Amino acid sequence: MMTVMATHTSILVGTAKGLFVVSGDGRQRWEVSGPFLRGQALYAVAWERSHDRPRILAGGHSEHWGPSVVWSDDLGATWDERDGGSVRFPPDVDAAVRRIWQLHPADDGVVWAGVEPAALFRSADRGVSFELVRGLWEHPHRPQWTPGGGGLCLHTVLLDPSTPERLWVAISTGGVYRSDDGGVTWQARNRGIATPFLPGDEPPEFGQCVHKMALHPAVPDRLFLQHHWGVYRSDDGGDGWNSVGRALPSDFGFPLVVHPDDPDTVFVIPLESDEFRVTPEGRCRVYRSSDGGGSWSALTDGLPQRDAYLTVLRDAFAASVQPVGLFFGTRTGELFGSVDGGERWSTLVRHLPPVLSVRPLAMD
């Protein structure tokens, strides 16, 4: 049984068929509301918290209307999409947004959106309107980026809280890029990341198939990265990377989460391989390192360990803060949670549509 949480937690669960809000206080019973935005695939969901009332942001994809950003200020009861809400390329750019992969709010009402084809957009009004970040779109490497299995997607945006002008993005399969001037200019930051699918002994400057990246705000120079072939760590803001995943049962996977209270603790969920994207040996295991990737241990208590061929996507694993909770969803519609650092897990919800994104928020 899960430990009782001191505050209420609401979890946004974006699925292939709409958005669900799962709410509870840590007891065994969790309530589900929704589905909202019925029929839309939601690869990107977020809480925007620059005002007193948190705003739900959802990057939806309608088969009829295409992709757009919509928001709700009343936990999904009503939704708003103004003319600028859809993330669109300007008229002078010969491109169209196919999917919204990431919504990353800052503390000042700024929201960053990563899309396919790989591009970054910025909103200064809590997600109401967006502008293309031309410094990245016009980067000389961009014409040479190639799509990964999920498309040419910009799926991760990270901000340095100690240096507001510094941010990172991860692109499949462009690699990691960092800006030190608020997005005006960008530099590839992939040194040390292996590319066994490419010829030559030395990894190229860009083209790495990065699946997810994470940092802890207290130590923003330390980055963790789940690659198509391995887990990596950087201690210099991405200038160089070192492999830290050799002890894992597989070097393939998608999600990666840093513990909100401990920058040395990181979690991954390996999958067997790129050809067979399920949990190895039919066992659902979250792997935790408490020493920055030096060693790993399998967390299994409460997770299925027999005939559990599950898949967890890159944005379907996330953590809440104050109190800390860990939550992940699967392609088979389960939502699992832990409130003790992963020692014990409970199944919060079953039989949802395939889970694409998870974002929890602890609220008073």
Side-chain angles (χ1 to χ4, degrees):
M1 182 178 295
M2 299 179 74
T3 304
V4 176
M5 281 175 148
T7 58
H8 180 86
T9 298
S10 289
I11 309 164
L12 302 178
V13 184
T15 77
K17 299 294 182 181
L19 174 70
F20 296 81
V21 181
V22 179
S23 301
D25 60 3
R27 297 184 177 91
Q28 205 158 12
R29 179 176 176 81
W30 291 74
E31 296 185 356
V32 181
S33 57
F36 308 107
L37 309 173
R38 289 170 175 254
Q40 295 197 36
L42 297 158
Y43 285 84
V45 295
W47 295 98
E48 201 286 326
R49 296 175 289 168
S50 63
H51 290 53
D52 292 338
R53 177 176 294 182
R55 168 173 289 182
I56 298 175
L57 293 171
H61 182 85
S62 165
E63 292 299 327
H64 183 69
W65 300 109
S68 63
V69 173
V70 297
W71 67 92
S72 173
D73 292 330
D74 51 18
L75 294 179
T78 60
W79 294 87
D80 196 347
E81 179 188 6
R82 301 175 194 175
D83 184 57
S86 294
V87 179
R88 302 185 182 97
F89 286 100
D92 64 308
V93 174
D94 185 19
V97 175
R98 299 187 184 95
R99 179 166 290 147
I100 299 164
W101 282 94
Q102 178 83 160
L103 291 169
H104 189 102
D107 294 331
D108 52 3
V110 170
V111 179
W112 300 88
V115 307
E116 175 193 352
L120 183 66
F121 287 78
R122 182 182 185 274
S123 169
D125 52 15
R126 305 186 73 198
V128 176
S129 60
F130 287 86
E131 293 185 357
L132 175 67
V133 178
R134 289 185 176 266
L136 185 63
W137 180 255
E138 296 170 357
H139 195 284
H141 292 171
R142 185 184 65 80
Q144 301 173 69
W145 295 339
T146 56
L152 182 56
C153 56
L154 193 158
H155 53 69
T156 302
V157 180
L158 298 177
L159 308 177
D160 183 343
S162 65
T163 308
E165 296 298 302
R166 187 162 73 155
L167 66 156
W168 298 262
V169 298
I171 300 164
S172 180
T173 58
V176 177
Y177 283 78
R178 190 182 76 206
S179 174
D180 296 316
D181 53 16
V184 178
T185 61
W186 296 82
Q187 304 80 39
R189 288 292 179 262
N190 300 290
R191 184 168 58 86
I193 303 175
T195 52
F197 63 102
L198 294 176
D201 296 330
E202 290 296 323
E205 184 181 5
F206 63 95
Q208 285 76 2
C209 189
V210 178
H211 286 178
K212 197 61 185 175
M213 210 169 45
L215 60 75
H216 191 283
V219 191
D221 275 335
R222 180 187 298 165
L223 302 167
F224 292 95
L225 180 152
Q226 172 70 66
H227 185 245
H228 196 102
W229 288 278
V231 178
Y232 289 82
R233 170 179 161 175
S234 172
D235 293 308
D236 51 17
D239 288 342
W241 296 89
N242 295 294
S243 175
V244 295
R246 294 184 180 89
L248 293 167
S250 168
D251 59 5
F252 184 84
F254 286 99
L256 181 148
V257 171
V258 176
H259 194 290
D261 285 347
D262 184 0
D264 291 325
T265 299
V266 59
F267 304 86
V268 296
I269 304 178
L271 302 180
E272 183 163 315
S273 68
D274 56 353
E275 292 88 7
F276 193 46
R277 302 184 178 200
V278 299
T279 44
E281 303 168 9
R283 301 174 62 193
C284 182
R285 292 168 288 183
V286 177
Y287 280 79
R288 180 181 64 197
S289 174
S290 300
D291 54 9
S295 60
W296 296 88
S297 58
L299 307 174
T300 61
D301 191 351
L303 298 175
Q305 297 302 300
R306 181 176 179 182
D307 299 328
Y309 296 96
L310 307 180
T311 302
V312 182
L313 300 181
R314 61 169 56 90
D315 258 1
F317 186 13
S320 66
V321 299
Q322 298 176 351
V324 173
L326 298 167
F327 306 93
F328 71 91
T330 70
R331 292 278 292 179
T332 42
E334 300 98 345
L335 179 68
F336 296 99
S338 171
V339 294
D340 57 8
E343 291 294 334
R344 293 174 297 277
W345 297 84
S346 290
T347 305
L348 309 187
V349 185
R350 300 179 190 270
H351 310 309
L352 294 174
V355 176
L356 308 177
S357 52
V358 170
R359 286 293 181 272
L361 176 65
M363 297 187 290
D364 295 331

